[in-house]
Amino acid sequence: MLNIVIFGAPGSGKGTQSEKIIEEYGVDHISTGDVLREEIKKGTELGKLAVSYIDEGNFIPDSLMIKILASVLDAKGKDIKGVIFDGFPRTIQQAYALDKMLSDRGESVSIVIGLEVDDDELIHRIVLRGRTSGRADDNAHTAKHRLENYHSQTQPLKKFYINAGKYASIPGVGDIDEIFSHIKKAIDAVK
Ligand code: AMP
């Protein structure tokens, strides 16, 4: 199976590039942000719990997030070409949990696609996206807090995956198709 982690700050283009990866490689998509937003829309207990974290730009606690990911992954069954993990892992604990979940299935992370975009551009993109996304967390104030959390809790994962020999650094600014061509080269090298 092709197990891709798409990695980067909020606004780095993970969702956009995930769509192109899915189209090219036929893998399944797990976006933890989308899963949570769906639960909020449906008004489930999980949604009610998640909304306060998300709207403030904070992370959902690891133990809960790991359980959610495990159940979404289980629901996919075994008959899939692979998965693109979008928005997970966001902490070292989640990265260890993902390794464990995959190894229990005889699988592993194939590659981590790291989209590199500087903070000013990220804030600009998030504020622009906020005009149409309807997301309460897409505004300048919350975006800054989300970026702080990204730098303190998520960015250390870059080193974790570099040390594992799995990190592909991709410049995330410029033409969408050109960015994708770099991603495709990196994925084809491990396929
Ligand atoms: P995203 O759509 O990936 O930007 O996620 C939106 C929000 O959902 C984040 O700012 C977090 O509040 C929450 N979230 C999504 N994925 C995770 C995760 N792996 N761990 C903790 N919180 C998450």
Side-chain angles (χ1 to χ4, degrees):
M1 259 169 65
L2 189 56
N3 298 306
I4 302 165
V5 172
I6 188 136
F7 182 83
S12 59
K14 298 191 296 293
T16 304
Q17 292 299 334
S18 288
E19 282 173 22
K20 299 189 80 69
I21 294 170
I22 293 158
E23 200 183 312
E24 179 75 25
Y25 297 98
V27 289
D28 274 47
H29 186 211
I30 299 180
S31 155
T32 44
D34 285 351
V35 169
L36 295 168
R37 281 185 289 274
E38 194 53 38
E39 295 291 325
I40 293 171
K41 218 162 78 188
K42 287 194 285 194
T44 64
E45 286 307 310
L46 172 58
K48 284 180 198 152
L49 185 69
V51 73
S52 56
Y53 290 102
I54 295 188
D55 284 0
E56 296 296 320
N58 291 322
F59 289 174
I60 273 69
D62 279 338
S63 55
L64 177 59
M65 206 60 237
I66 289 164
K67 265 192 221 147
I68 296 169
L69 201 266
S71 80
V72 175
L73 189 58
D74 275 344
K76 295 268 174 212
K78 293 222 178 290
D79 210 15
I80 51 175
K81 282 188 178 172
V83 177
I84 175 155
F85 296 92
D86 170 359
F88 189 102
R90 263 178 156 93
T91 63
I92 288 282
Q93 206 185 328
Q94 292 181 15
Y96 282 122
L98 180 61
D99 275 354
K100 169 93 176 49
M101 269 180 245
L102 289 175
S103 78
D104 286 348
R105 292 168 173 78
E107 294 288 334
S108 61
V109 170
S110 313
I111 189 167
V112 177
I113 299 293
L115 294 171
E116 318 273 359
V117 179
D118 72 51
D119 280 12
D120 287 346
E121 171 71 12
L122 291 168
I123 303 255
H124 174 71
R125 287 187 189 179
I126 292 171
V127 170
L128 261 187
R129 183 172 71 185
R131 292 187 190 158
T132 52
S133 71
R135 283 176 55 171
D137 58 345
D138 280 346
N139 61 74
H141 177 74
T142 314
K144 277 195 190 122
H145 186 52
R146 288 163 71 197
L147 281 184
E148 281 161 16
N149 283 336
Y150 172 77
H151 287 303
S152 62
Q153 298 185 66
T154 308
Q155 211 169 27
L157 283 180
K158 178 172 169 178
K159 204 156 175 209
F160 175 89
Y161 284 120
I162 289 172
N163 290 342
K166 301 209 162 158
Y167 191 85
S169 176
I170 307 286
V173 182
D175 181 70
I176 289 173
D177 288 327
E178 200 180 321
I179 297 169
F180 181 65
S181 74
H182 296 296
I183 292 177
K184 188 170 173 336
K185 239 182 249 163
I187 294 176
D188 288 344
V190 298
K191 233 175 78 198

